[in-house]
Amino acid sequence: MTERAPLGVAVIGTGRMGADHVRRIHEVTSGARVAAVVDIDAERAKAVAARVDGCTAHTDPAAAMAAADVDAVLIASPGPAHEATLLAAFEHDLPVLCEKPLTPDAASALRVLEAEQRLGHRRVQVGFMRRYDPEYAKLKALLTTGQLGRPLMLHNRHRNVASPPFFTSSMLISDSVAHEADATRWLLGHEITAVTVLRPTPSVSAPDALQDPQFVVFETDGGALSDVEIFVNCGFGYQVQAEVVCERGTARIGDGHALVTNMAGRWGGTIAQDWTERFEAAYDQEIQAWVDATRRGEVTGPSTWDGYAAAVVCEAGVRALENGGRVEVGLVERPALYA
Amino acid sequence: MTERAPLGVAVIGTGRMGADHVRRIHEVTSGARVAAVVDIDAERAKAVAARVDGCTAHTDPAAAMAAADVDAVLIASPGPAHEATLLAAFEHDLPVLCEKPLTPDAASALRVLEAEQRLGHRRVQVGFMRRYDPEYAKLKALLTTGQLGRPLMLHNRHRNVASPPFFTSSMLISDSVAHEADATRWLLGHEITAVTVLRPTPSVSAPDALQDPQFVVFETDGGALSDVEIFVNCGFGYQVQAEVVCERGTARIGDGHALVTNMAGRWGGTIAQDWTERFEAAYDQEIQAWVDATRRGEVTGPSTWDGYAAAVVCEAGVRALENGGRVEVGLVERPALYA
Amino acid sequence: MTERAPLGVAVIGTGRMGADHVRRIHEVTSGARVAAVVDIDAERAKAVAARVDGCTAHTDPAAAMAAADVDAVLIASPGPAHEATLLAAFEHDLPVLCEKPLTPDAASALRVLEAEQRLGHRRVQVGFMRRYDPEYAKLKALLTTGQLGRPLMLHNRHRNVASPPFFTSSMLISDSVAHEADATRWLLGHEITAVTVLRPTPSVSAPDALQDPQFVVFETDGGALSDVEIFVNCGFGYQVQAEVVCERGTARIGDGHALVTNMAGRWGGTIAQDWTERFEAAYDQEIQAWVDATRRGEVTGPSTWDGYAAAVVCEAGVRALENGGRVEVGLVERPALYA
Amino acid sequence: MTERAPLGVAVIGTGRMGADHVRRIHEVTSGARVAAVVDIDAERAKAVAARVDGCTAHTDPAAAMAAADVDAVLIASPGPAHEATLLAAFEHDLPVLCEKPLTPDAASALRVLEAEQRLGHRRVQVGFMRRYDPEYAKLKALLTTGQLGRPLMLHNRHRNVASPPFFTSSMLISDSVAHEADATRWLLGHEITAVTVLRPTPSVSAPDALQDPQFVVFETDGGALSDVEIFVNCGFGYQVQAEVVCERGTARIGDGHALVTNMAGRWGGTIAQDWTERFEAAYDQEIQAWVDATRRGEVTGPSTWDGYAAAVVCEAGVRALENGGRVEVGLVERPALYA
């Protein structure tokens, strides 16, 4: 592939997230085109494909991967379908951007990890898009300079306006806190070794039987602590904040103070109402970085190892939620491929 | 007077401001007592006096000043009554805290200035209480260190929720911007040499025929500019802000960010609704500083010269408002007493 | 005592805190005078007494309490001396403002609690001065309105530049987090039922063997959680922050944004370097409120029960620090006197 | 042109700005390619062209415009060369994105305006990229909702670390304040009718004979005022801020508070050091919007009229700077093409 040719991407899954990625690659991303879309719902696939010149519609991921103009795969289907699609992509030796979670549980994540090792080179970037958020990126860059000293604690806030009807107490961990599990590992450069989940009285705004909010404490092999307030029915907005406390100072992101008004007795600003507003730039940057690296023949960003580690941590977190107390996290030894 | 004895204060005028000062001296100020109150309305004077043990009520300031337990005078009567009361206090050689304005016009202010010079020593502190506001005090202290370099510009915002019914266009200058005239002189350490008043379209919320907002530009003999947005029907709150632009940096006060909330899609805080909330601490500090200095036998704070200069600047400002263009400010030579 | 007469206060202990209270009552507080000072170091007591007209010096608290012009007692001696002084004050039936801690351990605190019950009426206000800090007071007032709904979580940050040489790991709990124990109880209106203390890797800036920082989690009988980052060698400043997360919103204090500068590539402001700067107004308000209530014949503010509860919580916290895990907090039944 | 084909852009001028646009179109922009570059320095043109597959190098803009794969023109050459290039583009009837200024003076801008009218349809988008800055866009969107009421005043701050050696006093107006002239017209929806330039004492950091800072006041035909602090040797950072004061509230942008640190006695964050950091997203959005509109066959964004109006305002501003006092702004009648 010369650099000139745009990267032909097959987008697997055309639900809300997949359709948004199709739009993004078509209208925002430089150097890529949507070559194919795949959905088990053939009509939905066709409708999405029709928006893009030369894009074909499929119901089988393997068929799309076999197409001549498909150079790379973006997986945005439901989590349980990820493993099979990843293994198929490995057979075609195609680069993959896989939306989080890598797979829904630690056992399947380990199988993917082993399959990629057999392939012998990295093919997968996992969709932990916070690493591409301009604010998180600034925070990471500041930590990397070392001017604040070693990180000792990380305080995280993760708040949603309201949870969807199907949301369960364990999904607060596996779906939401999964982001903080990755952010903790990435910002601190430590693996998580234990999880404790505390259960304050649920909010009256939480649906019956939903344990919301929760307060999660991660311990790490570097000795730093990371605590997470997860509150998915906070009512007032979508808010993601992080403060790293280091030996010589602290750094905080997520205030979102771009536009400040005075009005009706109050100063301040609006809070984003969902993740598309808060993290739009992060998704744009993530896809562009993936396309750029892929065209250079490289694989960068969060790896299969990161997807596997998140799966193990979240499984431990769900056990900690259900049984109380502190649950240790056991990872396999880190393969050389992900050193 | 030994330091032990509280300072006996005669409060002249028992309207909103005077009554508040009576309460303050009685309940907040250390080392002072309200010995007498004066009001042309005898009943009002009596009602206020009744709240304080041993406080006498008068209708004539001179009678109060003659009382044995009166050591000092606080003038909170309407501006037109100030000159006579100040001259009476000079006759009794009593220390005075005179609420702003010193007098309502430059000619009468000059007479007071000359009378105090004949007395031969300072007796008057003028009530420019912003100099005692903790935020203004921090700003002044920072400028005094010199670490920002020389001040070049001062941007001021002065906003009220709504103006009282009797407010006229020229009162925006003489009543409101008078504070910024003093703050400009004090913060920059320059005299004001010219005033320009610009007239944006009045707000629909301003009463008929009121020129509100106005935009005032002061030039100074130190070469710095000071601009003032005065908007007395802004609707949303009482807000006083200042930013000094210096050769090596800027400094800003007035954001009022003590309590930050997230609620209903917005982050931010409340804005004070009137000056009692914004400047309560300033009034407390002003009176305490006056009492402390007086008990030490000293006169500190804004002087008669400061009151005179404000009167001249405001007169020029009103002419600039009425006639358009730039109006020069002419002060008499600064007497040695106020060097 | 007529309202006119100032309250005669005996200040017990003339170390840094006691001497500062003498200055405060002498120069800042309205309606009170320092009638006597007490210190086991007679010279120190005399030196402090000499600054105030008519103030006598003593080495024995009981002698001071017996003086005719002593109406009330302020205890600022070291914690181990508090119990005896409190019991002596009960014998003289004098109102007391007792600096925190009430006493250094739960057993002695309980004895004081029982003694005050035998007296039959409240005499003690404990010096949890954060309740008088303007920012905490605003936060409490906002919670009381109910507009944010029920509190679910409280996140606290408590940071000191550096710890004094004698500071031990358990003092992070008993000396520092004691403030957050009271703030949690007061803001939430709940009793603390269990404490967990987590131990991140100590900072390189912490003295050898000092476990600093620590991360403390309080559970409460109202179901809310309160977490505390305590970091007494953070290096950059003295910073006390709190964010309450409620069912309909959050509220945060402690940002300290009064003066904002642009300078040398950075915007922002200074951080207080110690508690006298951050909480000066709180101490002023606390003493004034105590004097005002005492002159009215009332006892308000944090009670002996609050001092006792803090002692029990801190003892549990120290056990949690030393032994790991979660430690339950056992209070005696709340006496009717403190209902 | 089908939507599928990328837009072939000829970039005229390969200095700092032009080379950056080549990089942007090549790596960031979706749906466009750099087909040709032009520079009077043939070697520089070749060096830049060599970075992009299939890009040709030219020294004559007309030659580039004649190339088969050139669909649109981006002018980033020095201002004096703009008129000829614009007229050449009109001859080829090619869409143009012309960096500001449209032309360096009002007379030449008027000639371009008349030429485009003869062409009969809009072809030009002028590079006032602030309209594409996410913060300015939010401010404009908020004003458009009308919830703040009518705008009455606009306060602008425009600060650079240091001016380049060739900068003259009049360039503070024509080069820097030109942005605020357009922002004022765009945000308020008014034409500027008069300009006053005030001259505070120059900063010691300003080169000899440079009048820096300056304070500019724009009057508008809608009755609103707009003031601009321009300070191109402020030393501390690149900072662009705007506050609109409306009838029911105010709105402010430019604080730049994304990352907040506590460190060494100070809280706060870094200030951008130049426009590439502050406005990188704005440039990306501007070029993408131009490419998208051009591929749809539309012309959007700031028009030749906007470029002409800015030229007239800046000429008046320079006269106001040089002669003192207020200078009126005379525009030709607005042609229907730009209604």
Side-chain angles (χ1 to χ4, degrees), chain C residues 91-290:
Chain C
E91 276 180 36
H92 289 86
D93 202 17
L94 288 174
V96 182
L97 175 58
C98 180
E99 272 299 332
K100 65 153 273 267
L102 179 67
T103 67
D105 58 82
S108 54
L110 184 57
R111 288 193 296 269
V112 173
L113 188 79
E114 290 168 346
E116 193 180 37
Q117 284 177 265
R118 283 193 298 273
L119 199 61
H121 48 250
R122 280 191 57 189
R123 272 304 186 202
V124 179
Q125 172 176 332
V126 180
F128 288 122
M129 90 296 170
R130 287 203 193 161
R131 301 191 185 193
Y132 298 91
D133 173 61
E135 295 192 21
Y136 270 97
K138 274 185 195 169
L139 181 54
K140 177 68 176 173
L142 177 62
L143 292 174
T144 303
T145 66
Q147 59 186 296
L148 291 180
R150 219 164 24 112
L152 304 172
M153 286 174 288
L154 172 62
H155 306 305
N156 304 277
R157 310 285 164 255
H158 184 157
R159 295 158 182 165
N160 298 73
V161 176
S163 57
F166 55 80
F167 227 64
T168 63
S169 295
S170 65
M171 290 175 77
L172 270 76
I173 303 293
S174 56
D175 228 70
S176 302
V177 177
H179 281 291
E180 275 76 24
D182 184 65
T184 295
R185 298 177 62 253
W186 176 62
L187 287 172
L188 303 180
H190 302 167
E191 291 294 351
I192 293 168
T193 53
V195 191
T196 306
V197 180
L198 292 141
R199 309 167 59 133
T201 301
S203 170
V204 286
S205 305
D208 273 1
L210 192 72
Q211 175 59 52
D212 179 39
Q214 299 176 22
F215 191 73
V216 180
V217 182
F218 292 130
E219 300 168 47
T220 72
D221 63 3
L225 288 182
S226 172
D227 60 279
V228 186
E229 174 204 316
I230 175 70
F231 189 5
V232 298
N233 288 282
C234 81
F236 61 77
Y238 179 71
Q239 204 171 44
V240 170
Q241 302 180 324
E243 182 180 30
V244 188
V245 180
C246 299
E247 292 180 327
R248 284 195 293 278
T250 84
R252 185 180 79 215
I253 57 169
D255 285 355
H257 288 186
L259 176 68
V260 181
T261 59
N262 289 306
M263 221 178 135
R266 296 189 62 80
W267 62 270
T270 56
I271 305 173
Q273 290 300 296
D274 70 9
W275 47 268
T276 53
E277 183 180 348
R278 170 68 177 84
F279 284 119
E280 186 185 12
Y283 281 107
D284 289 354
Q285 304 266 1
E286 178 195 43
I287 301 296
Q288 190 67 61
W290 176 63

Side-chain angles (χ1 to χ4, degrees), chain B residues 4 26-30 33 53 135 142 147-148 248-253 258-263 288, chain C residues 4 26-30 33 53 135 142 147-148 248-253 258-263 288:
Chain B
R4 184 74 186 288
H26 189 50
E27 297 177 7
V28 179
T29 312
S30 172
R33 52 179 294 271
D53 281 357
E135 295 193 21
L142 177 62
Q147 60 187 294
L148 291 180
R248 285 196 292 279
T250 84
R252 186 180 79 214
I253 57 168
L259 176 68
V260 180
T261 60
N262 289 306
M263 222 178 133
Q288 190 68 60
Chain C
R4 184 71 185 291
H26 188 50
E27 299 177 5
V28 180
T29 312
S30 172
R33 53 178 292 271
D53 282 358
E135 295 192 21
L142 177 62
Q147 59 186 296
L148 291 180
R248 284 195 293 278
T250 84
R252 185 180 79 215
I253 57 169
L259 176 68
V260 181
T261 59
N262 289 306
M263 221 178 135
Q288 190 67 61

Side-chain angles (χ1 to χ4, degrees), chain B residues 91-305:
Chain B
E91 277 181 35
H92 290 85
D93 200 18
L94 287 175
V96 182
L97 175 58
C98 179
E99 272 299 334
K100 64 155 274 266
L102 178 69
T103 67
D105 58 82
S108 53
L110 184 58
R111 288 193 296 268
V112 172
L113 187 79
E114 291 167 345
E116 194 180 37
Q117 285 176 263
R118 283 193 298 272
L119 200 60
H121 47 250
R122 281 191 56 190
R123 271 308 186 201
V124 179
Q125 173 176 333
V126 180
F128 288 122
M129 90 297 168
R130 287 200 192 165
R131 301 192 185 192
Y132 298 92
D133 173 60
E135 295 193 21
Y136 270 97
K138 275 185 196 168
L139 182 54
K140 176 67 176 175
L142 177 62
L143 292 175
T144 302
T145 66
Q147 60 187 294
L148 291 180
R150 220 164 24 113
L152 305 173
M153 285 175 288
L154 172 61
H155 306 304
N156 304 277
R157 310 283 165 257
H158 185 156
R159 295 158 181 164
N160 298 73
V161 177
S163 57
F166 56 80
F167 226 64
T168 63
S169 296
S170 64
M171 289 175 78
L172 271 77
I173 303 291
S174 56
D175 230 69
S176 301
V177 176
H179 281 293
E180 275 76 23
D182 185 64
T184 295
R185 298 178 61 254
W186 177 62
L187 286 173
L188 303 182
H190 302 168
E191 290 295 350
I192 293 169
T193 53
V195 191
T196 306
V197 180
L198 291 141
R199 312 169 55 134
T201 303
S203 170
V204 287
S205 304
D208 272 2
L210 192 71
Q211 174 59 50
D212 180 38
Q214 299 174 22
F215 190 73
V216 180
V217 181
F218 292 130
E219 300 167 48
T220 72
D221 62 5
L225 288 182
S226 171
D227 59 278
V228 186
E229 173 203 317
I230 175 69
F231 189 6
V232 299
N233 289 281
C234 81
F236 61 78
Y238 178 70
Q239 203 171 44
V240 170
Q241 302 179 324
E243 182 180 32
V244 188
V245 180
C246 300
E247 292 180 325
R248 285 196 292 279
T250 84
R252 186 180 79 214
I253 57 168
D255 284 356
H257 287 185
L259 176 68
V260 180
T261 60
N262 289 306
M263 222 178 133
R266 296 188 62 81
W267 62 269
T270 57
I271 305 172
Q273 290 300 296
D274 69 10
W275 47 268
T276 54
E277 183 181 349
R278 170 68 176 85
F279 285 119
E280 186 186 10
Y283 281 108
D284 289 354
Q285 305 265 3
E286 178 195 41
I287 301 297
Q288 190 68 60
W290 176 63
V291 166
D292 292 349
T294 302
R295 295 176 92 202
R296 292 192 310 267
E298 298 174 11
V299 180
T300 60
S303 70
T304 303
W305 174 256

